PDB file of all heavy atoms in Angstrom:
ATOM      1  N   CYS A  37     -48.105  45.026 -85.019  1.00 93.00           N
ATOM      2  CA  CYS A  37     -49.460  45.231 -85.500  1.00 93.00           C
ATOM      3  C   CYS A  37     -50.300  44.033 -85.055  1.00 93.00           C
ATOM      4  O   CYS A  37     -49.941  42.892 -85.324  1.00 93.00           O
ATOM      5  CB  CYS A  37     -49.464  45.336 -87.028  1.00 93.00           C
ATOM      6  SG  CYS A  37     -51.101  45.473 -87.729  1.00 93.00           S
ATOM      7  N   VAL A  38     -51.395  44.300 -84.359  1.00 92.00           N
ATOM      8  CA  VAL A  38     -52.289  43.242 -83.895  1.00 92.00           C
ATOM      9  C   VAL A  38     -53.324  42.969 -84.979  1.00 92.00           C
ATOM     10  O   VAL A  38     -53.993  43.886 -85.443  1.00 92.00           O
ATOM     11  CB  VAL A  38     -52.998  43.646 -82.584  1.00 92.00           C
ATOM     12  CG1 VAL A  38     -53.966  42.564 -82.136  1.00 92.00           C
ATOM     13  CG2 VAL A  38     -51.979  43.958 -81.499  1.00 92.00           C
ATOM     14  N   HIS A  39     -53.426  41.721 -85.378  1.00 82.00           N
ATOM     15  CA  HIS A  39     -54.445  41.290 -86.342  1.00 82.00           C
ATOM     16  C   HIS A  39     -55.496  40.488 -85.582  1.00 82.00           C
ATOM     17  O   HIS A  39     -55.288  39.328 -85.276  1.00 82.00           O
ATOM     18  CB  HIS A  39     -53.825  40.417 -87.437  1.00 82.00           C
ATOM     19  CG  HIS A  39     -53.102  41.197 -88.462  1.00 82.00           C
ATOM     20  ND1 HIS A  39     -52.809  40.687 -89.700  1.00 82.00           N
ATOM     21  CD2 HIS A  39     -52.625  42.461 -88.469  1.00 82.00           C
ATOM     22  CE1 HIS A  39     -52.165  41.604 -90.403  1.00 82.00           C
ATOM     23  NE2 HIS A  39     -52.042  42.679 -89.672  1.00 82.00           N
ATOM     24  N   ASN A  40     -56.608  41.136 -85.281  1.00 75.00           N
ATOM     25  CA  ASN A  40     -57.663  40.452 -84.544  1.00 75.00           C
ATOM     26  C   ASN A  40     -58.994  40.440 -85.304  1.00 75.00           C
ATOM     27  O   ASN A  40     -60.005  40.014 -84.771  1.00 75.00           O
ATOM     28  CB  ASN A  40     -57.852  41.063 -83.158  1.00 75.00           C
ATOM     29  CG  ASN A  40     -58.130  42.551 -83.215  1.00 75.00           C
ATOM     30  OD1 ASN A  40     -58.235  43.136 -84.290  1.00 75.00           O
ATOM     31  ND2 ASN A  40     -58.229  43.166 -82.058  1.00 75.00           N
ATOM     32  N   LEU A  41     -58.970  40.903 -86.547  1.00 67.00           N
ATOM     33  CA  LEU A  41     -60.189  40.918 -87.347  1.00 67.00           C
ATOM     34  C   LEU A  41     -60.040  40.150 -88.653  1.00 67.00           C
ATOM     35  O   LEU A  41     -60.885  40.253 -89.540  1.00 67.00           O
ATOM     36  CB  LEU A  41     -60.606  42.365 -87.657  1.00 67.00           C
ATOM     37  CG  LEU A  41     -60.908  43.242 -86.442  1.00 67.00           C
ATOM     38  CD1 LEU A  41     -61.200  44.667 -86.882  1.00 67.00           C
ATOM     39  CD2 LEU A  41     -62.065  42.686 -85.638  1.00 67.00           C
ATOM     40  N   ASP A  42     -58.934  39.389 -88.806  1.00 63.00           N
ATOM     41  CA  ASP A  42     -58.691  38.644 -90.043  1.00 63.00           C
ATOM     42  C   ASP A  42     -59.698  37.515 -90.217  1.00 63.00           C
ATOM     43  O   ASP A  42     -60.104  36.866 -89.250  1.00 63.00           O
ATOM     44  CB  ASP A  42     -57.290  38.031 -90.047  1.00 63.00           C
ATOM     45  CG  ASP A  42     -56.206  39.058 -90.295  1.00 63.00           C
ATOM     46  OD1 ASP A  42     -56.537  40.226 -90.552  1.00 63.00           O
ATOM     47  OD2 ASP A  42     -55.024  38.675 -90.247  1.00 63.00           O
ATOM     48  N   VAL A  43     -60.077  37.285 -91.470  1.00 63.00           N
ATOM     49  CA  VAL A  43     -60.940  36.158 -91.804  1.00 63.00           C
ATOM     50  C   VAL A  43     -60.274  35.331 -92.902  1.00 63.00           C
ATOM     51  O   VAL A  43     -59.478  35.844 -93.687  1.00 63.00           O
ATOM     52  CB  VAL A  43     -62.340  36.614 -92.272  1.00 63.00           C
ATOM     53  CG1 VAL A  43     -63.106  37.255 -91.126  1.00 63.00           C
ATOM     54  CG2 VAL A  43     -62.259  37.563 -93.441  1.00 63.00           C
ATOM     55  N   ASP A  44     -60.616  34.048 -92.952  1.00 66.00           N
ATOM     56  CA  ASP A  44     -60.048  33.167 -93.971  1.00 66.00           C
ATOM     57  C   ASP A  44     -60.915  33.187 -95.226  1.00 66.00           C
ATOM     58  O   ASP A  44     -61.840  34.006 -95.348  1.00 66.00           O
ATOM     59  CB  ASP A  44     -59.855  31.747 -93.433  1.00 66.00           C
ATOM     60  CG  ASP A  44     -61.151  31.074 -93.031  1.00 66.00           C
ATOM     61  OD1 ASP A  44     -62.241  31.562 -93.396  1.00 66.00           O
ATOM     62  OD2 ASP A  44     -61.075  30.035 -92.345  1.00 66.00           O
ATOM     63  N   ASP A  45     -60.630  32.292 -96.162  1.00 69.00           N
ATOM     64  CA  ASP A  45     -61.365  32.222 -97.429  1.00 69.00           C
ATOM     65  C   ASP A  45     -62.858  31.950 -97.241  1.00 69.00           C
ATOM     66  O   ASP A  45     -63.664  32.287 -98.101  1.00 69.00           O
ATOM     67  CB  ASP A  45     -60.777  31.132 -98.333  1.00 69.00           C
ATOM     68  CG  ASP A  45     -59.351  31.440 -98.739  1.00 69.00           C
ATOM     69  OD1 ASP A  45     -58.951  32.621 -98.649  1.00 69.00           O
ATOM     70  OD2 ASP A  45     -58.638  30.506 -99.143  1.00 69.00           O
ATOM     71  N   LYS A  46     -63.210  31.313 -96.125  1.00 72.00           N
ATOM     72  CA  LYS A  46     -64.605  30.974 -95.847  1.00 72.00           C
ATOM     73  C   LYS A  46     -65.274  32.003 -94.936  1.00 72.00           C
ATOM     74  O   LYS A  46     -66.318  31.744 -94.360  1.00 72.00           O
ATOM     75  CB  LYS A  46     -64.682  29.590 -95.204  1.00 72.00           C
ATOM     76  CG  LYS A  46     -64.158  28.486 -96.097  1.00 72.00           C
ATOM     77  CD  LYS A  46     -64.166  27.163 -95.383  1.00 72.00           C
ATOM     78  CE  LYS A  46     -63.533  26.088 -96.275  1.00 72.00           C
ATOM     79  NZ  LYS A  46     -63.405  24.816 -95.580  1.00 72.00           N
ATOM     80  N   SER A  47     -64.630  33.159 -94.789  1.00 66.00           N
ATOM     81  CA  SER A  47     -65.125  34.256 -93.943  1.00 66.00           C
ATOM     82  C   SER A  47     -65.223  33.877 -92.473  1.00 66.00           C
ATOM     83  O   SER A  47     -66.031  34.438 -91.729  1.00 66.00           O
ATOM     84  CB  SER A  47     -66.475  34.772 -94.452  1.00 66.00           C
ATOM     85  OG  SER A  47     -66.334  35.313 -95.740  1.00 66.00           O
ATOM     86  N   GLU A  48     -64.403  32.921 -92.044  1.00 69.00           N
ATOM     87  CA  GLU A  48     -64.354  32.536 -90.633  1.00 69.00           C
ATOM     88  C   GLU A  48     -63.184  33.258 -89.972  1.00 69.00           C
ATOM     89  O   GLU A  48     -62.141  33.470 -90.578  1.00 69.00           O
ATOM     90  CB  GLU A  48     -64.207  31.025 -90.498  1.00 69.00           C
ATOM     91  CG  GLU A  48     -65.423  30.271 -91.001  1.00 69.00           C
ATOM     92  CD  GLU A  48     -65.268  28.763 -90.881  1.00 69.00           C
ATOM     93  OE1 GLU A  48     -64.324  28.307 -90.207  1.00 69.00           O
ATOM     94  OE2 GLU A  48     -66.103  28.053 -91.455  1.00 69.00           O
ATOM     95  N   HIS A  49     -63.365  33.611 -88.704  1.00 59.00           N
ATOM     96  CA  HIS A  49     -62.346  34.343 -87.951  1.00 59.00           C
ATOM     97  C   HIS A  49     -61.056  33.538 -87.824  1.00 59.00           C
ATOM     98  O   HIS A  49     -61.094  32.361 -87.454  1.00 59.00           O
ATOM     99  CB  HIS A  49     -62.880  34.685 -86.557  1.00 59.00           C
ATOM    100  CG  HIS A  49     -61.913  35.444 -85.714  1.00 59.00           C
ATOM    101  ND1 HIS A  49     -61.621  36.765 -85.953  1.00 59.00           N
ATOM    102  CD2 HIS A  49     -61.167  35.066 -84.653  1.00 59.00           C
ATOM    103  CE1 HIS A  49     -60.733  37.176 -85.053  1.00 59.00           C
ATOM    104  NE2 HIS A  49     -60.438  36.157 -84.256  1.00 59.00           N
ATOM    105  N   ARG A  50     -59.941  34.174 -88.172  1.00 70.00           N
ATOM    106  CA  ARG A  50     -58.631  33.534 -87.971  1.00 70.00           C
ATOM    107  C   ARG A  50     -58.140  33.848 -86.567  1.00 70.00           C
ATOM    108  O   ARG A  50     -58.542  34.835 -85.966  1.00 70.00           O
ATOM    109  CB  ARG A  50     -57.621  34.077 -88.994  1.00 70.00           C
ATOM    110  CG  ARG A  50     -57.924  33.630 -90.397  1.00 70.00           C
ATOM    111  CD  ARG A  50     -56.934  34.184 -91.385  1.00 70.00           C
ATOM    112  NE  ARG A  50     -55.587  33.765 -91.035  1.00 70.00           N
ATOM    113  CZ  ARG A  50     -54.494  34.328 -91.550  1.00 70.00           C
ATOM    114  NH1 ARG A  50     -54.586  35.311 -92.398  1.00 70.00           N
ATOM    115  NH2 ARG A  50     -53.304  33.896 -91.197  1.00 70.00           N
ATOM    116  N   LYS A  51     -57.245  33.006 -86.045  1.00 80.00           N
ATOM    117  CA  LYS A  51     -56.683  33.234 -84.716  1.00 80.00           C
ATOM    118  C   LYS A  51     -56.087  34.634 -84.637  1.00 80.00           C
ATOM    119  O   LYS A  51     -55.424  35.095 -85.562  1.00 80.00           O
ATOM    120  CB  LYS A  51     -55.544  32.257 -84.443  1.00 80.00           C
ATOM    121  CG  LYS A  51     -55.929  30.902 -84.004  1.00 80.00           C
ATOM    122  CD  LYS A  51     -54.641  30.178 -83.629  1.00 80.00           C
ATOM    123  CE  LYS A  51     -54.841  28.758 -83.283  1.00 80.00           C
ATOM    124  NZ  LYS A  51     -53.571  28.122 -82.902  1.00 80.00           N
ATOM    125  N   ASP A  52     -56.303  35.290 -83.494  1.00 85.00           N
ATOM    126  CA  ASP A  52     -55.680  36.588 -83.271  1.00 85.00           C
ATOM    127  C   ASP A  52     -54.165  36.404 -83.219  1.00 85.00           C
ATOM    128  O   ASP A  52     -53.663  35.482 -82.565  1.00 85.00           O
ATOM    129  CB  ASP A  52     -56.172  37.198 -81.956  1.00 85.00           C
ATOM    130  CG  ASP A  52     -57.644  37.574 -82.000  1.00 85.00           C
ATOM    131  OD1 ASP A  52     -58.233  37.551 -83.101  1.00 85.00           O
ATOM    132  OD2 ASP A  52     -58.186  37.888 -80.931  1.00 85.00           O
TER     133      ASP A  52
END
Side-chain angles (χ1 to χ4, degrees):
C37 176
V38 178
H39 282 199
N40 56 3
L41 299 176
D42 285 355
V43 293
D44 63 14
D45 296 340
K46 298 176 184 175
S47 297
E48 294 179 12
H49 180 73
R50 291 179 59 195
K51 279 187 185 181
D52 293 349

